[in-house]
Amino acid sequence: MEKDALEFATRAHGDQQRKYTEEPYVEHLKRVAETVRSVPHTPEMISAAYLHDVVEDTPVTLDEVKEKFGEKVSSLVHELTDEYMKSNYPHLNRRKRKEKEVERQAGMSAEAKTIKLADVIDNTMDIVRNDRNFARKYVPEMEALTSVLKEGDPKLYQRAVSEVQKGKEILKKEKSPKDRSKNSNYHG
């Protein structure tokens, strides 16, 4: 089942690449699955880790996931698929959508929370390393999200909290480009 899920996700994501590194998107999915594999897990959790972005980022539907991988995997993928996306809620700004998503994800199963923690760990490291400007928005969002994922695996919860904290510390040490220009002695 796990191998089939990886192959399915690889085909579905096709030529998609990670935004900053341009590596094949499937590498992110593999890291999330391997992080989940490092703690108590089920084959369905590993499969859902590979498939966690497939409904959000490809034409694949939940019905297709259910038909191919069964109810449990489909249910986990459903829990992990953002509901409050801009395309679904264009009248809400990013902050409101993320707040609603945190409220929704607070009610996820412990298994889905474990997978989401692995996703937060991988994404936070990547964004803080590669896009400090976006990280200033993203890290506080992940801090709010992580706070409702406590029922996930305790080791991954601690790692996610640590990654978010590291991100906050890095950003605190570096002033934003706006702050630097305000305090600059350069008068052009």
Side-chain angles (χ1 to χ4, degrees), residues 32-66:
V32 171
E34 288 309 307
T35 300
V36 173
R37 197 184 303 282
S38 74
V39 297
H41 62 277
T42 64
E44 291 83 4
M45 289 170 69
I46 300 302
S47 297
Y50 286 130
L51 299 166
H52 78 271
D53 283 332
V54 79
V55 173
E56 223 171 278
D57 296 340
T58 79
V60 171
T61 67
L62 274 173
D63 285 340
E64 290 174 80
V65 173
K66 184 177 180 179

Side-chain angles (χ1 to χ4, degrees), residues 75-139:
S75 177
L76 288 168
V77 171
H78 183 253
E79 287 183 274
L80 293 161
T81 300
D82 283 355
E83 180 180 327
Y84 293 96
M85 298 184 330
K86 191 175 191 172
S87 58
N88 299 341
Y89 293 87
H91 61 285
L92 296 178
N93 65 26
R94 179 182 172 92
R95 187 176 53 77
K96 277 287 183 211
R97 289 193 314 273
K98 294 301 178 183
E99 286 172 3
K100 290 197 166 291
E101 200 57 49
V102 166
E103 289 171 20
R104 185 191 70 77
Q105 290 186 18
M108 291 191 310
S109 65
E111 294 95 339
K113 288 181 179 186
T114 295
I115 299 164
K116 189 64 182 180
L117 286 165
D119 189 39
V120 167
I121 291 164
D122 191 61
N123 284 332
T124 301
M125 293 187 305
D126 190 37
I127 290 168
V128 170
R129 183 173 34 252
N130 294 297
D131 188 347
R132 296 290 212 278
N133 243 3
F134 179 59
R136 291 180 193 294
K137 264 187 201 169
Y138 183 82
V139 169

Side-chain angles (χ1 to χ4, degrees), residues 114 117 150-159:
T114 295
L117 286 165
K150 290 181 178 125
E151 295 82 7
D153 180 82
K155 287 180 189 167
L156 294 190
Y157 175 74
Q158 286 305 318
R159 278 185 62 192

